[in-house]
């Protein structure tokens, strides 16, 4: 009770503050009156810098300085009354401050009557330059602001294409409106009652902690099952080893007494020591009468397992499996799609994975050879978000393998369905990522490249990449890589020429993006499309060479060499557009024969089995076990000897997983 009384005044003050904030005027009057009658003191809560009437004056002074172009007054007020934690920690505040500096830097150019005073203009430009070199340097890797770092060095920004937007009549009023809204937001945030803040922080924190703990519990249970299995196996091996050791010690003692050890006895000991897969062959083919045979086989049993020794996975009843994929419940469909994907992604690269894939293809798992209206492929349009996502993941896994891409390419509807899902999917980011990943891998095949170009996919990609900061790393990398692959074709370059200005702006913005994984694809796309004279002309008009040279100062050696090639392409001799050589008659298959199974295929699983519910390989082998058949197939040989030096921009189709892992391109 003593603790309550000690803090009673502060608690009553928090209640009063909240009632005032929520505008419960009658309740507040009654509350204050009752506190006074009972002699309860009300503690006055401490407010922020905008609590009193002075805050309105400060806001008016900031807006007035903005209107008058008074740079010094504005930023003195800005730094004094906007806390450093907001100015340095809030991304919106940082971006707003950047544009405010631009506003004051070009103020005289926009609003001077007649020719602006050179000394005063130079002073404002110098102030802006200093900002760019100090505090503004933090945004130098943000594509939105990259062109403005060249502003202080451009003699006449008013006529430069990159700064055309700044000198439009609507730009300053829109910036002023953002400033006013920001100041109002700061005022409102500082007025948030402490009681509400305490509730939000504790409630949200508890919810997040519970979610994290639940996820950790699920993962821990899964790991514990795995570790328990390993422990039981190790324990069994240990007891077996102890038993064999005891027998060998007894045998050694027996030899001291003159007793002989028979080859049959050595054979029985080795069979117990070696793996189950080797026992049968050992029992019939190894001659233990030869000296050193037992020790040689023991060493062999300890050697690393080779891929050819990896056991083949059990065959499945694909007819029953496909029936349940089409007619089963959504939950069953999701678990089956997950299990089929896991069988492909977790199999050992080489014979085991090839056998799994060939079994899928020979049994037409995805109904690519089928013309039935109801097919497994239709799951890509399921009303269930989980089924749609897991179908997209499985298709992406197929597309990660060269033979899988060949299989999917047999049905023209697959590409159409993926393109449609890519443009329609707005609920699930992971679904769209996997659809995009599959399409990007499709672009390694020339016929599919042609179809995607004809379907206008380049325009969709350019539109999406206009705002790269709102994209996930996977979406950004695979979008840019897909765009580059399509731009390597003459038909793709001609498509880009129709919107040359937009394509060049998007690519030049991406040059400075913080995700450095996309740089080779951006460089490759630029180098490719600049072979078109009309695009070169557009690039020169927008000052592309100046933008490229900005990156030479900051990039690494590889990036610098690639940009030098791009500049050389930009300044190459003019050729009429009609002279552009067509590549439509080249070899049909231009893809690299490499299988890239990235880890992202199995990330962030949506479903977890309940107690007693089958999933994964156990679900397949329990409910859908089939008869083993020989589905082996000789792999096609691709262009395995083509190498990329790293100095020149990419000029062959690649996929991000393969490019990062250093496969030939």
């Amino acid at each position: 009770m003593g603790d309550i009384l000690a803090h009673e005044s502060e608690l009553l003050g928090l209640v009063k503050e909240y009632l005032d904030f929520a505008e419960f005027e009658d309740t507040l009057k009654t509350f204050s009156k009752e506190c006074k009658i009972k002699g309860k003191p009300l503690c006055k809560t401490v407010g922020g810098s905008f609590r009193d009437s002075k805050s309105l004056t400060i806001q008016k002074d900031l807006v007035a300085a903005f209107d008058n172009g008074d740079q010094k007054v504005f930023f003195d007020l800005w730094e004094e009354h906007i806390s450093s934690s907001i100015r340095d920690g809030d991304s919106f505040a940082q971006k707003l401050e950047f544009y405010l500096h631009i506003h004051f830097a070009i103020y005289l150019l926009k609003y001077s009557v007649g020719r602006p005073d050179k000394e005063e203009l130079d002073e404002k430009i110098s102030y802006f330059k200093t900002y760019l070199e100090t505090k503004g340097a933090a945004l130098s890797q943000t594509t939105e602001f990259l062109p403005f770092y060249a502003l202080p060095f451009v003699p006449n920004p008013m006529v430069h294409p990159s700064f055309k937007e700044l000198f439009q009549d609507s730009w300053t009023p829109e910036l002023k409106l953002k400033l006013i809204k920001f100041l109002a937001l700061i005022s409102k945030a500082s007025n948030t009652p402490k009681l509400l803040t305490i509730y939000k922080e504790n409630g949200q924190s508890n919810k997040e902690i519970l979610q994290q703990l639940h996820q950790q519990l699920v993962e821990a249970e899964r790991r514990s099952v795995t570790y328990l299995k390993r422990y039981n196996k190790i324990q069994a091996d240990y007891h077996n080893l102890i038993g064999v050791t005891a027998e060998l010690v007894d045998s050694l003692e027996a030899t001291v007494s003159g007793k002989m050890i028979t080859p049959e006895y050595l054979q029985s000991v080795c069979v117990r020591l070696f793996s189950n897969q080797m026992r049968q062959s050992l029992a019939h083919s190894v001659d233990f009468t030869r000296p050193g045979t037992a020790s040689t086989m023991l060493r062999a049993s300890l050697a690393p397992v080779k891929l050819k020794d990896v056991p083949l996975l059990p065959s499945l009843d694909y007819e029953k499996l496909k029936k349940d994929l089409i007619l089963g419940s959504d939950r069953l469909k999701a678990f089956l799609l997950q299990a089929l994907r896991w069988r492909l992604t977790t199999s050992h690269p080489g014979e085991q994975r090839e056998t799994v894939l060939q079994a899928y293809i020979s049994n037409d798992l995805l109904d690519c050879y089928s013309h039935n209206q109801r097919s497994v492929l239709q799951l890509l349009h399921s009303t269930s978000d989980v089924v749609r996502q897991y179908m997209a993941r499985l298709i992406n896994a197929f597309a990660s393998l060269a033979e899988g891409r060949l299989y999917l390419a047999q049905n023209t509807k697959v590409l159409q369905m993926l393109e449609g899902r890519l443009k329609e999917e707005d609920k699930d980011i992971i679904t769209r990522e996997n659809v995009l990943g599959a399409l990007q891998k499709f672009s390694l095949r020339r016929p599919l490249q042609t179809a995607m170009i004809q379907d206008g996919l380049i325009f969709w990609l350019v539109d999406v990449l206009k705002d790269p900061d709102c994209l996930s790393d996977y979406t950004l990398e695979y979008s840019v890589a897909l765009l580059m692959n399509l731009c390597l074709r003459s038909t793709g370059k001609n498509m880009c020429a129709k919107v040359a200005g937009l394509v060049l702006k998007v690519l030049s913005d991406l040059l400075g993006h913080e995700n450095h994984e996309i740089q080779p694809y951006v460089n490759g796309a630029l180098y490719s499309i600049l072979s078109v004279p009309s695009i070169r002309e557009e690039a020169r008009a927008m000052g592309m060479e100046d933008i490229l040279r900005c990156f030479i100062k900051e990039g690494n050696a590889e990036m610098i060499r690639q940009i030098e090639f791009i500049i050389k392409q930009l300044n190459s001799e003019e050729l009429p557009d009609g002279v552009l050589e067509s590549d439509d008659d080249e070899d049909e298959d231009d893809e690299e024969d490499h299988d890239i199974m990235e880890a992202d295929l199995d990330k962030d699983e949506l479903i977890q089995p309940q107690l007693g519910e089958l999933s994964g390989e156990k679900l397949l082998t329990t409910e859908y076990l089939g008869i083993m058949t020989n589905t082996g197939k000789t792999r096609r040989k691709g262009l395995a000897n083509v190498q990329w030096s790293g100095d020149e921009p990419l000029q062959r189709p690649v996929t991000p997983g393969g490019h990062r892992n250093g496969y030939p391109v």
Side-chain angles (χ1 to χ4, degrees):
M1 188 67 181
D3 290 340
I4 297 175
L5 291 174
H7 298 286
E8 186 177 42
S9 177
E10 185 179 354
L11 291 170
L12 292 173
L14 292 177
V15 174
K16 179 178 181 295
E17 181 192 31
Y18 180 76
L19 292 174
D20 187 20
F21 172 80
E23 298 180 352
F24 288 105
E25 296 176 1
D26 294 338
T27 306
L28 179 59
K29 288 177 182 178
T30 304
F31 177 74
S32 300
K33 182 179 178 181
E34 190 168 354
C35 285
K36 188 175 181 181
I37 293 171
K38 293 185 177 182
K40 304 287 187 181
L42 288 173
C43 175
K44 292 186 177 179
T45 55
V46 180
S49 59
F50 283 92
R51 281 230 178 188
D52 50 28
S53 59
K54 187 179 177 182
S55 65
L56 292 174
T57 305
I58 294 169
Q59 293 182 52
K60 288 180 181 178
D61 290 344
L62 280 166
V63 174
F66 176 90
D67 290 335
N68 298 329
D70 199 333
Q71 187 170 259
K72 187 177 185 310
V73 171
F74 182 90
F75 285 111
D76 285 346
L77 289 169
W78 180 266
E79 293 178 7
E80 181 181 355
H81 298 288
I82 306 297
S83 69
S84 59
S85 61
I86 294 176
R87 286 187 281 114
D88 300 333
D90 184 81
S91 60
F92 181 83
Q94 288 179 314
K95 293 181 179 182
L96 178 62
E97 185 172 348
F98 192 99
Y99 282 120
L100 288 168
H101 275 280
I102 293 176
H103 164 73
F104 289 110
I106 65 173
Y107 184 85
L108 292 177
L109 293 173
K110 291 187 72 172
Y111 298 107
S112 292
V113 179
R115 194 180 187 86
D117 182 84
K118 187 177 184 304
E119 185 176 343
E120 190 177 354
L121 179 61
D122 289 345
E123 182 183 346
K124 288 184 177 291
I125 294 295
S126 177
Y127 190 93
F128 179 54
K129 186 178 178 183
T130 302
Y131 166 75
L132 292 178
E133 294 170 350
T134 54
K135 188 177 178 182
L139 295 173
S140 62
Q141 298 301 313
T142 306
T143 55
E144 180 181 350
F145 301 103
L146 195 59
F148 302 122
Y149 284 82
L151 181 61
F153 308 99
V154 176
N156 189 359
M158 297 182 71
V159 298
H160 198 283
S162 297
F163 311 122
K164 182 180 178 182
E165 180 186 358
L166 302 179
F167 294 94
Q168 293 179 354
D169 294 339
S170 60
W171 188 81
T172 302
E174 288 175 359
L175 180 61
K176 181 179 177 180
L177 184 60
K178 289 180 182 178
L179 172 62
I180 293 171
K181 286 183 177 180
F182 174 74
L183 294 175
L185 190 64
I186 293 296
S187 175
K188 184 176 181 181
S190 64
N191 281 318
T192 301
K194 191 174 181 180
L195 187 63
L196 184 59
T197 303
I198 293 172
Y199 171 78
K200 283 183 177 179
E201 288 177 353
N202 290 343
Q204 185 64 26
S205 176
N206 291 338
K207 184 178 179 182
E208 291 175 356
I209 290 172
L210 284 173
Q211 289 177 341
Q212 291 174 2
L213 289 174
H214 177 71
Q215 185 64 29
Q216 290 172 8
L217 178 62
V218 171
E219 292 296 328
E221 288 175 347
R222 183 189 301 171
R223 286 196 299 270
S224 68
V225 172
T226 303
Y227 294 150
L228 183 61
K229 289 179 180 177
R230 291 179 184 175
Y231 168 76
N232 290 334
K233 185 179 184 302
I234 291 171
Q235 189 179 47
D237 290 342
Y238 168 75
H239 288 305
N240 183 42
L241 188 59
I242 290 296
V244 171
T245 304
E247 286 187 29
L248 289 175
V249 171
D250 291 340
S251 300
L252 189 60
E253 290 178 350
T255 57
V256 175
S257 303
K259 294 181 180 180
M260 297 294 294
I261 297 176
T262 65
E264 289 77 17
Y265 174 75
L266 276 179
Q267 178 176 327
S268 68
V269 170
C270 287
V271 167
R272 289 169 62 188
L273 281 173
F274 300 148
S275 64
N276 291 330
Q277 288 77 19
M278 300 174 67
R279 288 180 183 173
Q280 188 174 358
S281 61
L282 283 172
H284 299 289
S285 62
V286 180
D287 182 5
F288 284 93
T289 62
R290 295 176 57 189
T293 299
S295 61
T296 300
M297 294 308 300
L298 182 58
R299 292 189 189 98
S301 71
L302 298 175
V305 177
K306 297 180 181 179
L307 291 181
K308 67 179 181 180
D309 297 326
V310 175
L312 298 180
L313 294 171
S315 184
L316 304 176
D317 183 347
Y318 286 95
E319 185 176 348
K320 180 183 177 185
L321 211 160
K322 287 167 66 176
K323 182 179 179 182
D324 284 353
L325 279 172
I326 295 172
L327 302 176
S329 67
D330 285 340
R331 186 167 180 82
L332 176 59
K333 291 175 184 177
F335 273 118
L336 285 174
L337 291 169
Q338 183 187 62
L340 290 165
R341 167 167 47 87
W342 282 354
R343 180 174 261 229
L344 200 54
T345 59
T346 61
S347 58
H348 290 273
E351 184 180 356
Q352 190 187 63
R353 180 170 289 167
E354 289 171 18
T355 302
V356 172
L357 180 62
Q358 289 305 324
Y360 286 178
I361 294 173
S362 62
N363 288 281
D364 194 17
L365 176 63
L366 301 184
D367 286 332
C368 286
Y369 300 124
S370 171
H371 298 288
N372 294 335
Q373 197 166 14
R374 301 188 72 177
S375 67
V376 176
L377 278 174
Q378 295 300 323
L379 295 180
L380 198 59
H381 295 312
S382 170
T383 55
S384 166
D385 294 345
V386 180
V387 173
R388 270 202 323 277
Q389 182 189 122
Y390 277 36
M391 184 62 187
R393 287 180 188 242
L394 182 58
I395 290 176
N396 194 11
F398 265 85
S400 299
L401 306 172
E403 292 294 333
R405 291 191 288 275
L406 180 61
Y407 167 63
L408 292 169
Q410 303 307 307
N411 191 329
T412 57
K413 289 184 179 179
V414 176
L415 178 61
Q416 296 169 4
M417 292 174 72
L418 288 172
E419 288 178 335
R421 177 50 47 204
L422 181 68
K423 297 171 184 177
E424 294 169 11
E425 188 62 56
D426 54 0
K427 290 183 179 180
D428 194 310
I429 294 175
I430 295 181
T431 301
R432 194 166 81 158
E433 282 182 354
N434 279 275
V435 170
L436 178 63
L439 286 171
Q440 201 286 324
K441 293 158 192 170
F442 274 20
S443 70
L444 297 175
R445 300 189 61 82
R446 292 180 60 80
L448 296 175
Q449 286 177 2
T450 302
M452 284 187 269
I453 293 169
Q454 291 173 348
D455 292 342
L457 198 57
I458 285 178
F459 301 136
W460 185 89
L461 289 167
V462 171
D463 186 61
V464 166
L465 291 170
K466 284 193 295 186
D467 191 8
D469 292 333
C470 70
L471 304 177
S472 67
D473 286 340
Y474 188 98
T475 300
L476 178 61
E477 289 178 34
Y478 277 78
S479 294
V480 180
L482 175 55
L483 178 62
M484 186 203 76
N485 286 358
L486 299 183
C487 287
L488 295 174
R489 300 288 301 280
S490 59
T491 50
K493 298 172 191 176
N494 291 332
M495 283 288 185
C496 290
K498 296 179 181 180
V499 287
L502 178 59
V503 174
L504 289 168
K505 184 179 186 310
V506 166
L507 290 175
S508 62
D509 287 347
L510 289 172
L511 279 171
H513 198 274
E514 59 187 7
N515 186 340
H516 298 297
E517 299 290 347
I518 68 172
Q519 288 181 354
Y521 317 127
V522 176
N523 293 342
L526 268 175
Y527 183 82
S528 180
I529 65 174
L530 286 174
S531 65
V532 181
S534 61
I535 297 180
R536 285 202 302 271
E537 185 178 344
E538 182 74 25
R540 291 167 186 163
M542 66 181 289
M544 178 62 75
E545 185 170 351
D546 293 336
I547 295 173
L548 290 170
R549 292 199 180 279
C550 287
F551 293 103
I552 288 183
K553 298 175 184 177
E554 301 178 2
N556 56 38
E558 184 179 303
M559 176 79 166
I560 290 171
R561 287 192 295 270
Q562 291 183 23
I563 289 179
E564 287 172 346
F565 273 99
I566 296 172
I567 292 175
K568 186 177 179 181
Q569 179 83 303
L570 176 65
N571 294 322
S572 60
E573 294 182 5
E574 295 283 348
L575 287 172
D577 284 340
V579 179
L580 185 65
E581 184 179 353
S582 172
D583 56 10
D584 295 335
D585 296 330
E586 295 180 11
D587 294 339
E588 179 181 299
D589 195 356
D590 195 31
E591 75 165 292
E592 300 300 338
D593 194 16
H594 288 290
D595 297 340
I596 311 301
M597 194 71 75
E598 65 261 29
D600 290 309
L601 289 167
D602 294 330
K603 73 174 184 180
D604 301 332
E605 296 287 359
L606 285 178
I607 55 173
Q608 301 294 339
Q610 298 174 356
L611 187 63
E613 192 172 22
L614 296 176
S615 66
E617 189 66 18
K618 194 170 184 180
L619 170 63
L620 296 179
T621 55
T622 302
E623 299 292 337
Y624 302 94
L625 195 61
I627 301 172
M628 178 66 76
T629 57
N630 183 12
T631 57
K633 184 177 179 180
T634 304
R635 286 177 54 82
R636 297 177 303 120
K637 292 185 178 180
L639 308 171
N641 295 321
V642 182
Q643 299 289 333
W644 178 56
S645 68
D647 292 342
E648 300 182 25
L650 290 165
Q651 298 173 53
R652 294 187 62 81
V654 297
T655 196
H659 181 251
R660 277 198 297 272
N661 291 329
Y663 289 113
V665 293

